Amino acid sequence: MNRINESVPQEFILLGFSDRPWLELPLFVVFLISYILTILGNLAIIIVSRLDSKLHTPMYFFLTNLSLLDLCYTTSTVPQMLVNIRSIRKVISYGGCVAQLFISLALGSTECLLLAVMSFDRFVAICRPLHYSVIMHQRLCLQLAAMSWVSGFSNSVLQSTLTLQMPLCGHNEVDHFFCEVPALLRLSCVDTTANEAELFFISVLFLLIPVTLILISYAFIVQAVLRIQSVEGRRKAFGTCGSHLIVVSLFYGTAIYMYLQPPSPASKDRGKMVSLFYGIITPMLNPLIYTLRNKDVKGAFKRLIARILLIKKYPSDRPYRTEVHKAIQSPLLL
């Protein structure tokens, strides 16, 4: 019993960049600003997608799921990181580390599959436009979203269980900003070859296969877009798909670098920076990418702001309803 108790620490020390104290203040400011922008941006997309009836489509249903994922993912890691950066003792309890590991891994795995689902939605919309409403019906959208969430959380249960079963022999210094599988495996005092092979196999399933399917779908999408006669239609199709491709490149590129490269001492610091990119920067950029490059979302924001202003201007019901109807129908807000 004593050996078992010694192998499971009561808390972990998250080293981060504690060997470079001059980086802590700049990192704190960057993390805090990024977290605030992530919360505001993703909340705005969720609210607008729910309130604006023009956005009640499969594409924005999946985008709402993505925003919810990014909200929860950053909230599972960033607040603890902010506390630790400004603390002398950069610790997290064993239970907190387990929760952070499980939640971040579940949401990250879910996002891997959800981005592939979103590319399938774009493939059907552009390559099979006449059959889009028949293929992407509400039930299928719910099933695809549920499949992504269930698969992501199932993977997290498996990965977290295998990682936490590894004996640590009292080691509790995690050379990372938060509890993540590769960092925790480095703490183990036994051979982790089997765990690393299993992690590599799962990473292929959740990273390489989805990104390969995305690239194949976009090859067909590009062919279909080039056949569109209308310049405006071609521009709109490339704009919508371009936003998704940027998100895919940012997320999969950094995640593949983190999980599919052979472990080496030289890659530790690079791995920490890469994990910060897909864990903090990408969730912050997602709302900006989808709003700045998307006329539908920008139009929805304008209509929502118009409604808020009209509520203040016309508190009584009848004039308010008349003005709201005119504002929503106005071409300037579409």
Side-chain angles (χ1 to χ4, degrees), residues 189-316:
C189 53
V190 298
D191 184 26
T192 59
T193 302
N195 292 73
E196 290 170 3
E198 181 269 339
L199 177 61
F200 183 86
F201 175 73
I202 294 295
S203 299
V204 169
L205 291 179
F206 279 82
L207 290 171
L208 283 188
I209 292 179
V211 80
T212 301
L213 295 175
I214 290 172
L215 293 176
I216 293 173
S217 68
Y218 270 96
F220 287 105
I221 287 173
V222 169
Q223 289 181 352
V225 170
L226 292 177
R227 289 197 296 265
I228 297 176
Q229 300 297 323
S230 167
V231 176
E232 177 65 21
R234 189 182 302 175
R235 187 185 61 82
K236 183 177 180 180
F238 272 128
T240 303
C241 296
S243 300
H244 185 247
L245 269 181
I246 293 173
V247 172
V248 165
S249 301
L250 291 173
F251 180 78
Y252 283 103
T254 52
I256 287 173
Y257 177 88
M258 183 69 184
Y259 281 90
L260 292 179
Q261 70 163 340
S264 66
S267 65
K268 284 184 180 180
D269 283 349
R270 288 199 301 270
K272 281 188 266 187
M273 295 306 297
V274 167
S275 66
L276 290 179
F277 198 88
Y278 69 72
I280 298 178
I281 304 301
T282 302
M284 178 194 70
L285 293 178
N286 284 352
L288 297 176
I289 292 169
Y290 278 107
T291 54
L292 293 178
R293 295 178 58 89
N294 193 308
K295 283 188 175 182
D296 293 336
V297 177
K298 287 190 284 188
F301 273 116
K302 291 178 183 178
R303 291 190 292 272
L304 180 60
I305 293 171
R307 289 183 187 181
I308 295 172
L309 294 177
L310 289 168
I311 288 173
K312 293 181 179 180
K313 186 176 180 181
Y314 298 103
S316 59

Side-chain angles (χ1 to χ4, degrees), residues 17-18 20-29 85-86 90:
F17 283 118
S18 56
R20 299 180 180 92
W22 56 273
L23 271 177
E24 291 188 345
L25 182 58
L27 285 176
F28 179 83
V29 173
I85 287 176
R86 302 305 295 165
K90 306 176 189 304

Side-chain angles (χ1 to χ4, degrees), residues 76-121:
S76 72
T77 58
V78 177
Q80 182 69 47
M81 290 164 59
L82 292 172
V83 170
N84 283 351
I85 287 176
R86 302 305 295 165
S87 301
I88 297 176
R89 296 190 70 243
K90 306 176 189 304
V91 299
I92 183 172
S93 67
Y94 180 81
C97 185
V98 172
Q100 195 176 78
L101 173 68
F102 174 78
I103 295 172
S104 61
L105 186 56
L107 297 174
S109 302
T110 302
E111 185 161 346
C112 290
L113 301 178
L114 186 63
L115 288 173
V117 169
M118 293 174 71
S119 72
F120 173 71
D121 171 68

Side-chain angles (χ1 to χ4, degrees), residues 29-54:
V29 173
V30 171
F31 293 171
L32 180 60
I33 294 174
S34 299
Y35 183 58
I36 293 172
L37 292 176
T38 299
I39 296 296
L40 295 177
N42 286 289
L43 271 179
I45 285 181
I46 292 172
I47 292 171
V48 169
S49 298
R50 296 304 303 164
L51 294 181
D52 196 296
S53 59
K54 293 181 180 294

